[in-house]
Amino acid sequence: MKYNSFYFQLFRGTMKKVLTERYGQDFARDTMKKACNLYKKLVLDADDIGAGNPMAYNELFALAFVAPYIASGKRIAPEIVQEMMRRSLYRVKFYFSMVDLNTPQGKLSNQKSILKYVKWYTPERERRYPNSFKVDFVGKPYEEACYYRITRCPICAYCKRLGVEELMPLLCELDKVMIGLQHGVLHREQTIASGGGGCDYFITGDREQLKPEDKN
């Protein structure tokens, strides 16, 4: 995978602050120093999912938190990794809050991002990059819903290869946080990390009221 240090550098200070609070300054300094070089290795060793892949940022983002966990020899408790993720997201909450999923414009923005990937991941690209994200719309609850489903996740597969699959459920939980920052609610039934056949994204605005039949 093509290396890009943006997400690691963006969240580096927040991650170090959390580690300092929990484990002390020396531990935080040494861990983040090791994590910087390790992050680059993790990215370069990841499966190639294609230059210009619109969903590559998801993996680059996730690996930013995997790197210090591995660099510490797993001495960071998973719940502390989750705290690092949560606080890092809130550091840039202004970016997510620009989208309001209660509005038609917000829903359209959400849909455009995933449709951009669906359009990009042509059959030819799937042959070239067979390990990239696989997205469909099977099970869409109703026509106006913001909905899609991921049935193949390179992040989950890579975490298993790295022996850190315990982090995957925490990474999946971040979806709820990010969508919450966009004034939305994620109604999820399953994830690949939890053994499901896919990760479903059924998203509504946090001021919307679901009809009983929409929940079935």
Side-chain angles (χ1 to χ4, degrees):
M1 188 175 180
K2 186 177 180 181
Y3 176 64
N4 185 327
S5 67
F6 175 77
Y7 292 100
F8 185 84
Q9 296 301 334
L10 179 63
F11 301 131
R12 183 175 184 173
T14 303
M15 292 191 288
K16 186 176 181 181
K17 183 176 181 179
V18 173
L19 292 179
T20 299
E21 292 171 0
R22 301 291 182 168
Y23 300 103
Q25 188 173 12
D26 291 344
F27 178 91
R29 182 190 62 245
D30 294 345
T31 297
M32 293 309 297
K33 184 177 180 180
K34 294 175 184 175
C36 185
N37 292 328
L38 180 59
Y39 179 72
K40 182 174 183 177
K41 184 179 188 305
L42 290 175
V43 172
L44 292 175
D45 288 350
D47 288 333
D48 184 7
I49 59 174
N53 187 320
M55 290 184 69
Y57 74 92
N58 290 281
E59 190 161 2
L60 292 168
F61 175 93
L63 291 176
F65 302 100
V66 171
Y69 181 66
I70 295 178
S72 74
K74 295 189 177 184
R75 286 182 290 167
I76 304 172
E79 59 266 25
I80 303 305
V81 178
Q82 186 175 40
E83 177 68 5
M84 290 161 61
M85 297 173 187
R86 187 189 66 80
R87 285 171 58 175
S88 293
L89 279 179
Y90 273 89
R91 181 179 180 273
V92 293
K93 65 179 181 180
F94 66 90
Y95 172 77
F96 294 102
S97 63
M98 291 168 63
V99 174
D100 186 344
L101 290 166
N102 293 288
T103 67
Q105 295 87 350
K107 294 180 188 294
L108 183 61
S109 175
N110 181 276
Q111 292 167 347
K112 278 184 175 180
S113 63
I114 198 64
L115 288 173
K116 181 179 180 181
Y117 177 74
V118 171
K119 183 177 180 180
W120 180 87
Y121 200 47
T122 61
E124 190 274 333
R125 284 199 173 102
E126 184 169 10
R127 287 191 293 271
R128 290 172 59 191
Y129 312 114
N131 297 316
S132 188
F133 298 90
K134 184 73 172 177
V135 179
D136 65 36
F137 303 94
V138 175
K140 187 171 184 177
Y142 60 92
E143 189 60 33
E144 294 79 17
C146 291
Y147 177 87
Y148 59 96
R149 185 179 70 151
I150 294 176
T151 57
R152 183 174 63 227
C153 176
I155 305 171
C156 192
Y158 195 24
C159 282
K160 287 181 179 178
R161 278 175 24 215
L162 293 169
V164 294
E165 57 265 36
E166 64 270 21
L167 293 186
M168 270 312 302
L170 307 181
L171 289 166
C172 295
E173 282 294 311
L174 284 186
D175 293 330
K176 293 182 180 180
V177 176
M178 286 188 283
I179 290 167
L181 291 173
Q182 294 177 311
H183 316 286
V185 179
L186 174 62
H187 309 273
R188 170 171 280 169
E189 295 184 357
Q190 62 176 323
T191 63
I192 296 171
S194 63
C199 303
D200 53 330
Y201 290 78
F202 172 23
I203 304 165
T204 61
D206 58 13
R207 296 195 300 272
E208 289 186 77
Q209 294 293 322
L210 281 181
K211 300 176 184 178
E213 59 267 28
D214 296 334
K215 299 180 181 180
N216 298 327

